Structure formats: structure tokens, C-alpha cells
Amino acid sequence: MTGWRIVIGADDAGYEYKELLRALLEDDPRVAGVVDVGVDADGHTPYPQVASEAARLVADGEADRGLLVCGTGLGMAIAANKVRGVRAVTAHDSYSVARSVLSNDAQILALGARVIGPELAKTLVDGWLGLQFDPQSPSSAKVDLIGEIEKEESA
Ligand code: RB5
């Protein structure tokens, strides 16, 4: 791993957190690059559109991971999970963030700016950058079963 390629996005409720988290990512040596899919300071793009744009970059292999922020983190994760191959979670504690990667191989973390404070958000993202899924782990077969559901649903 030469550094994470990360896509970051937010709706208007998450804009300020996106800005501070992007700065954190850009300063982190574990991050190779950050793509910001908005919104900007005056943006009002609805969260499903931001989430789907970010999720497609992950699904297409143009980003390794996505970090999304809305009011709760819930809508972003729901929308991102509609993109085939994407596993997105909302997590606001360090254990869940860790398990989202180590157990679920989730590529996208969605945070709620109305749920946690900015310092906790930064701490969670810092920990998230240090995590990597082990494809040899017993969790791998279970993650594969998630992909099987997608195949069954689109058959
Ligand atoms: C505001 O649109 C709010 O619903 C949104 O930021 C997010 O919390 C949705 O899940």
C-alpha cells in the first residue's frame, strides 16, 4: 500500500466537517490523494447524489475509500450502499469503525455532523486510516456472501 486514495463528500449539513476532515487527510502521510466531490460552501446537493458520486469512484477503482458526512451519516451510507460492490457504514465509535474495515471490508465510512463532535470525528478518521482488511481472515468468506446477495438481487 502506497497510500490511500480517498474520496470525500458531504451535503450542506456535513460541509464544515468535510472541510476539517479533508485538511486532516491532506496532512496525513498515509493518504496519497484526496478527491472532493462537494458540496462547496454554498452547495445544497442532496446527500444521495453526493454519496452515489463518491461510491461510484470507489466501485470503479478510482478511489480506495470514501469518507462521507451528512447530518446523521445514515442517508449517505444508505445511498452509497446502492452502488454495486460498495460496502458503506455509519459508525461513531472506534470499535465499530475498526470492525467495519476488519470484519466487513467496508470501503466507505459515513459520519454524522449532528451526532458527534469534530474532535471525535477526527479521532475516528485517524484510526480508520490505520486499518486494513485482511483477505486471508475468516471474515473474508462472509464479505463474499454480501457480494452473493448483490448477484442474486440483480439476476
Ligand atoms: C439533511 O438533509 C439530512 O437529512 C441529511 O444531512 C442526512 O442526515 C441524511 O441522512
Side-chain angles (χ1 to χ4, degrees):
M1 170 60 65
T2 53
W4 299 114
R5 297 167 302 152
I6 298 184
V7 54
I8 191 166
D11 68 359
D12 45 9
Y15 168 74
E16 287 179 17
Y17 276 47
K18 173 175 71 70
E19 294 301 295
L20 68 89
L21 293 171
R22 193 186 65 213
L24 180 146
L25 294 175
E26 287 172 346
D27 278 352
D28 195 298
R30 296 169 292 181
V31 176
V34 183
V35 173
D36 187 341
V37 293
V39 296
D40 61 23
D42 302 318
H44 298 287
T45 308
Y47 67 82
Q49 289 172 241
V50 176
S52 60
E53 184 174 349
R56 287 186 182 118
L57 290 176
V58 171
D60 292 346
E62 291 177 40
D64 304 307
R65 285 198 177 172
L67 180 60
L68 298 171
V69 191
C70 62
T72 59
L74 300 174
M76 284 289 195
I78 292 168
N81 277 316
K82 299 298 180 191
V83 175
R84 195 177 166 86
V86 166
R87 293 172 296 280
V89 299
T90 307
H92 291 129
D93 66 276
S94 59
Y95 181 74
S96 298
V97 169
R99 294 324 307 178
S100 78
V101 174
L102 302 176
S103 296
N104 312 120
D105 194 17
Q107 313 101 319
I108 294 186
L109 175 63
L111 299 175
R114 295 174 180 157
V115 182
I116 58 171
E119 293 307 317
L120 178 54
K122 287 195 281 187
T123 299
L124 293 176
V125 170
D126 180 61
W128 180 68
L129 292 174
L131 300 161
Q132 191 151 17
F133 182 69
D134 176 4
Q136 306 304 321
S137 75
S139 294
S140 201
K142 296 172 196 167
V143 173
D144 288 345
L145 291 173
I146 298 173
E148 291 301 318
I149 298 170
E150 277 185 341
K151 282 186 200 152
E152 287 162 15
E153 288 298 310
S154 60

